[in-house]
Coordinates of all heavy atoms in Angstrom, one line a residue:
Chain A
L95 N 72.2 -204.9 -67.5 CA 71.2 -204.8 -66.4 C 71.0 -203.2 -66.0 O 71.9 -202.5 -66.4 CB 71.8 -205.5 -65.1 CG 72.0 -207.0 -65.4 CD1 72.6 -207.7 -64.2 CD2 70.7 -207.8 -65.8
T96 N 70.0 -203.0 -65.2 CA 69.8 -201.6 -64.8 C 70.8 -201.3 -63.7 O 71.4 -202.2 -63.0 CB 68.4 -201.4 -64.2 OG1 68.3 -202.1 -63.1 CG2 67.4 -201.8 -65.3
V97 N 71.0 -200.0 -63.3 CA 71.8 -199.6 -62.2 C 71.5 -200.3 -60.9 O 72.2 -200.9 -60.2 CB 71.8 -198.0 -62.0 CG1 72.4 -197.5 -60.8 CG2 72.3 -197.3 -63.3
L98 N 70.1 -200.4 -60.6 CA 69.7 -201.0 -59.4 C 70.1 -202.6 -59.4 O 70.5 -203.0 -58.4 CB 68.3 -200.8 -59.1 CG 67.7 -201.4 -57.8 CD1 68.3 -200.9 -56.6 CD2 66.1 -201.3 -57.8
E99 N 69.8 -203.1 -60.6 CA 70.1 -204.5 -60.6 C 71.6 -204.8 -60.4 O 72.0 -205.8 -59.8 CB 69.6 -205.2 -62.0 CG 68.1 -205.2 -62.1 CD 67.6 -205.5 -63.4 OE1 68.5 -205.2 -64.4 OE2 66.5 -205.8 -63.6
N100 N 72.4 -203.9 -61.0 CA 73.9 -204.1 -60.7 C 74.2 -204.1 -59.2 O 75.0 -204.9 -58.8 CB 74.6 -203.0 -61.4 CG 75.1 -203.3 -62.8 OD1 76.2 -203.8 -62.9 ND2 74.2 -203.1 -63.7
V101 N 73.6 -203.2 -58.5 CA 73.9 -203.1 -57.1 C 73.3 -204.4 -56.3 O 74.0 -204.8 -55.4 CB 73.3 -201.8 -56.4 CG1 73.3 -201.9 -55.0 CG2 74.0 -200.5 -57.0
M102 N 72.2 -204.8 -56.8 CA 71.5 -206.0 -56.2 C 72.6 -207.3 -56.5 O 72.7 -208.0 -55.5 CB 70.2 -206.4 -56.9 CG 69.2 -205.3 -56.7 SD 68.8 -204.8 -55.0 CE 68.2 -206.3 -54.4
I103 N 73.1 -207.3 -57.6 CA 74.0 -208.4 -57.9 C 75.2 -208.4 -56.9 O 75.6 -209.4 -56.4 CB 74.5 -208.3 -59.3 CG1 73.5 -208.5 -60.3 CG2 75.8 -209.3 -59.6 CD1 73.2 -209.9 -60.7
A104 N 75.7 -207.1 -56.7 CA 76.8 -206.9 -55.7 C 76.3 -207.4 -54.3 O 77.2 -208.1 -53.6 CB 77.2 -205.5 -55.6
E105 N 75.0 -207.1 -54.0 CA 74.6 -207.5 -52.6 C 74.5 -209.0 -52.6 O 74.8 -209.7 -51.5 CB 73.3 -206.8 -52.3 CG 73.4 -205.5 -52.0 CD 72.1 -204.9 -51.5 OE1 71.3 -205.6 -50.7 OE2 71.7 -203.7 -51.8
L120 N 65.5 -211.1 -54.1 CA 65.0 -209.7 -54.1 C 64.1 -209.4 -52.9 O 62.9 -209.3 -53.1 CB 64.1 -209.5 -55.4 CG 65.2 -209.4 -56.7 CD1 64.3 -209.3 -57.9 CD2 66.0 -208.4 -56.6
R124 N 66.6 -205.9 -48.9 CA 67.8 -205.9 -49.9 C 67.6 -204.8 -50.9 O 68.5 -204.0 -51.2 CB 68.1 -207.2 -50.5 CG 69.5 -207.4 -51.1 CD 69.7 -208.7 -51.6 NE 70.4 -209.6 -50.6 CZ 70.4 -210.9 -50.6 NH1 69.8 -211.5 -51.5 NH2 71.1 -211.6 -49.7
M125 N 66.3 -204.7 -51.5 CA 66.0 -203.7 -52.4 C 66.2 -202.3 -51.8 O 66.7 -201.3 -52.4 CB 64.6 -203.8 -52.9 CG 64.2 -205.1 -53.6 SD 64.8 -205.0 -55.3 CE 63.4 -204.3 -56.1
Q126 N 65.8 -202.2 -50.5 CA 65.9 -200.9 -49.8 C 67.4 -200.5 -49.6 O 67.8 -199.4 -49.9 CB 65.3 -201.1 -48.6 CG 64.1 -200.1 -48.2 CD 63.2 -200.5 -47.1 OE1 63.7 -201.2 -46.2 NE2 62.0 -199.9 -47.1
T127 N 68.2 -201.6 -49.2 CA 69.7 -201.3 -49.0 C 70.3 -200.8 -50.4 O 71.0 -199.8 -50.5 CB 70.4 -202.5 -48.6 OG1 69.6 -203.3 -47.8 CG2 71.7 -202.2 -48.0
G128 N 69.8 -201.5 -51.5 CA 70.3 -201.1 -52.8 C 70.0 -199.7 -53.1 O 70.8 -199.0 -53.6
R129 N 68.7 -199.3 -52.9 CA 68.2 -197.9 -53.3 C 69.0 -196.9 -52.4 O 69.3 -195.9 -52.9 CB 66.8 -197.8 -53.1 CG 66.0 -198.5 -54.2 CD 64.5 -198.2 -54.2 NE 63.8 -199.0 -55.1 CZ 63.8 -198.7 -56.5 NH1 64.4 -197.8 -57.0 NH2 63.1 -199.6 -57.3
A130 N 69.2 -197.3 -51.1 CA 69.9 -196.4 -50.2 C 71.3 -196.2 -50.7 O 71.8 -195.1 -50.7 CB 69.9 -197.0 -48.8
V131 N 72.0 -197.3 -51.1 CA 73.4 -197.1 -51.6 C 73.4 -196.2 -52.8 O 74.2 -195.3 -52.9 CB 74.0 -198.5 -52.0 CG1 75.2 -198.4 -52.8 CG2 74.1 -199.4 -50.7
L132 N 72.5 -196.4 -53.7 CA 72.3 -195.6 -54.9 C 72.2 -194.1 -54.6 O 72.8 -193.1 -55.1 CB 71.2 -196.0 -55.9 CG 71.6 -197.3 -56.6 CD1 70.4 -197.8 -57.5 CD2 72.9 -197.3 -57.3
L137 N 73.2 -191.7 -57.3 CA 72.8 -192.5 -58.5 C 71.4 -192.7 -58.5 O 70.9 -193.4 -59.4 CB 73.7 -193.7 -58.6 CG 75.1 -193.6 -58.9 CD1 75.9 -194.9 -58.5 CD2 75.5 -193.2 -60.3
G138 N 70.7 -192.2 -57.5 CA 69.3 -192.6 -57.3 C 68.4 -192.4 -58.6 O 67.6 -193.2 -58.9
H140 N 69.1 -192.6 -61.6 CA 69.5 -193.6 -62.8 C 69.0 -195.0 -62.4 O 69.2 -195.9 -63.2 CB 71.0 -193.6 -63.0 CG 71.4 -192.2 -63.3 ND1 71.1 -191.5 -64.4 CD2 72.3 -191.4 -62.7 CE1 71.8 -190.4 -64.5 NE2 72.4 -190.3 -63.4
S141 N 68.4 -195.2 -61.2 CA 68.4 -196.7 -60.8 C 67.7 -197.6 -61.7 O 68.0 -198.8 -61.8 CB 67.6 -196.6 -59.3 OG 66.3 -196.2 -59.5
D142 N 66.8 -197.2 -62.6 CA 66.0 -198.0 -63.5 C 66.5 -198.1 -64.9 O 65.9 -198.5 -65.8 CB 64.5 -197.9 -63.4 CG 64.0 -198.2 -62.0 OD1 64.5 -199.1 -61.4 OD2 63.1 -197.5 -61.6
T143 N 67.7 -197.3 -65.1 CA 68.3 -197.2 -66.4 C 69.2 -198.3 -66.7 O 70.0 -198.7 -65.9 CB 69.1 -195.9 -66.6 OG1 68.2 -194.9 -66.0 CG2 69.3 -195.5 -68.1
A144 N 69.2 -198.9 -67.9 CA 70.3 -199.8 -68.3 C 71.6 -199.2 -68.3 O 71.8 -198.2 -68.9 CB 69.8 -200.5 -69.7
V145 N 72.5 -199.9 -67.7 CA 73.8 -199.4 -67.4 C 74.5 -199.0 -68.7 O 75.3 -198.0 -68.9 CB 74.6 -200.3 -66.6 CG1 76.2 -200.0 -66.6 CG2 74.0 -200.3 -65.1
L148 N 74.5 -195.5 -70.1 CA 74.9 -194.4 -69.3 C 76.3 -193.7 -69.7 O 77.2 -194.5 -70.2 CB 74.9 -194.8 -67.8 CG 73.6 -194.9 -67.2 CD1 73.7 -195.7 -65.9 CD2 72.9 -193.6 -67.0
L156 N 79.1 -195.9 -60.4 CA 78.3 -197.2 -60.1 C 79.3 -198.3 -59.8 O 79.3 -198.9 -58.7 CB 77.5 -197.6 -61.2 CG 76.9 -199.0 -61.1 CD1 75.8 -199.0 -59.9 CD2 76.2 -199.3 -62.3
M160 N 79.4 -200.3 -56.1 CA 79.3 -201.6 -56.1 C 80.5 -202.2 -55.2 O 80.2 -203.1 -54.5 CB 79.4 -202.3 -57.5 CG 78.0 -202.3 -58.2 SD 78.2 -202.5 -59.9 CE 78.4 -204.3 -59.9
Chain B
M2 N 66.7 -209.0 -65.8 CA 66.3 -209.5 -64.6 C 64.8 -209.3 -64.4 O 64.4 -208.1 -64.6 CB 67.0 -208.9 -63.4 CG 67.5 -209.9 -62.4 SD 68.3 -209.0 -61.0 CE 69.9 -209.1 -61.5
T4 N 61.5 -209.1 -61.9 CA 61.2 -209.2 -60.4 C 59.8 -209.7 -60.3 O 59.3 -210.0 -59.2 CB 61.2 -207.7 -59.9 OG1 60.4 -206.9 -60.7 CG2 62.6 -207.3 -59.7

Side-chain angles (χ1 to χ4, degrees):
Chain A
L95 305 178
T96 68
V97 171
L98 180 62
E99 285 168 345
N100 266 268
V101 171
M102 301 304 295
I103 294 274
E105 286 187 38
L120 294 178
R124 199 174 264 160
M125 295 282 271
Q126 244 165 15
T127 325
R129 287 192 189 279
V131 168
L132 290 179
L137 291 163
H140 302 292
S141 60
D142 296 321
T143 316
V145 165
L148 288 168
L156 173 62
M160 285 165 74
Chain B
M2 227 184 262
T4 52

